[in-house]
Amino acid sequence: MELKKTRFTEMLIASNRIDPNEFQGWVFSPGMRFQSPDKWWGDQGPRDFPHEGIDFCLYMDGFGRVRRLAHDTRVPLMHDGVVRSVFEDYLGQAMVIQHKQVQPDIGMLISIYAHTRPLDHITPGVFVKQGDIIATIADTSRSKARILPHLHVTFGLPSPELVFEKFVWNDMRNPGLVALLNPQGVIDWPWHARDPQ
């Protein structure tokens, strides 16, 4: 099951007043992509679990330089939905959004936007629409992991047994609760993977 392109990058560029000519495409270091076994920060050693989503952090500008998103980058929502949970993660807060029928071959879907500072009105039960700004990327400067600010995004099919009110990070690692989907398909802009250093 493959997720279809969204307007995420286009909306992120517009909502953060980035010149589209200066945003040539996303750059993913080893460790940033779905199911990656290694970290992209610190010692770049193995993760405790394969990566549950994708990390948006780096992009190529019009001069071929690799740039990074700032910690106050505004985060637009990819699909209409309902906020089901907001919880602390190790770099900020994460939001679980439930979506109905985002594409014909997928019924109920959840998205998780993590390592953010949700806006004050983003609370469980709130309806949000595609393009709404739901958060900013969290400041990671005090993190012991010494990791750049970034947006982690996960998509998955929720089990009927999933309890949103008690949702924590490890729930998305439990295939009995969430069947993870590769989020690479939602990217609406060119991208490339960097070679390992």
Side-chain angles (χ1 to χ4, degrees):
M1 189 174 307
E2 188 173 318
L3 292 168
K4 304 225 181 322
K5 284 185 182 180
T6 66
R7 293 178 42 246
F8 173 71
T9 308
E10 176 190 334
M11 294 183 296
L12 182 134
I13 288 169
S15 61
N16 289 283
R17 295 188 173 95
I18 299 171
D19 180 348
N21 297 316
E22 289 302 306
F23 196 108
Q24 297 301 305
W26 291 106
V27 176
F28 296 107
S29 292
M32 290 181 164
R33 293 174 60 204
F34 182 62
Q35 294 294 298
S36 190
D38 297 319
K39 297 183 282 188
W40 57 270
W41 66 93
D43 65 2
Q44 298 181 353
R47 291 175 178 265
D48 294 336
F49 297 90
H51 195 207
E52 309 87 353
I54 192 167
D55 290 337
F56 292 99
C57 177
L58 305 174
Y59 65 93
M60 188 82 66
D61 73 10
F63 297 100
R65 297 174 299 202
V66 175
R67 309 280 303 263
R68 67 180 175 89
L69 298 177
H71 69 81
D72 56 355
T73 299
R74 295 158 49 95
V75 178
L77 186 69
M78 292 188 216
H79 304 287
D80 294 355
V82 176
V83 179
R84 295 302 307 268
S85 179
V86 178
F87 64 94
E88 297 290 325
D89 65 40
Y90 69 100
L91 293 174
Q93 290 184 292
M95 301 156 288
V96 181
I97 316 292
Q98 186 175 30
H99 314 277
K100 291 183 181 175
Q101 202 73 38
V102 298
Q103 59 192 61
D105 59 335
I106 298 177
M108 193 67 67
L109 176 73
I110 60 169
S111 60
I112 301 165
Y113 294 77
H115 313 329
T116 70
R117 286 188 334 233
L119 300 186
D120 290 342
H121 72 281
I122 301 298
T123 56
V126 170
F127 179 76
V128 282
K129 297 186 72 168
Q130 180 187 57
D132 285 354
I133 302 303
I134 56 174
T136 58
I137 294 177
D139 182 356
T140 60
S141 61
R142 294 191 178 114
S143 165
K144 292 178 184 174
R146 296 190 350 224
I147 188 169
L148 293 174
H150 64 281
L151 173 66
H152 170 100
V153 176
T154 290
F155 283 97
L157 304 175
S159 157
E161 285 77 44
L162 182 62
V163 179
F164 288 102
E165 295 76 18
K166 297 180 180 179
F167 197 96
V168 294
W169 193 272
N170 284 341
D171 288 345
M172 76 175 101
R173 294 177 175 152
N174 181 343
L177 296 177
V178 179
L180 296 176
L181 299 174
N182 186 344
Q184 203 79 42
V186 303
I187 300 173
D188 58 327
W189 221 257
W191 62 270
H192 78 272
R194 290 174 98 173
D195 293 328
Q197 304 269 337

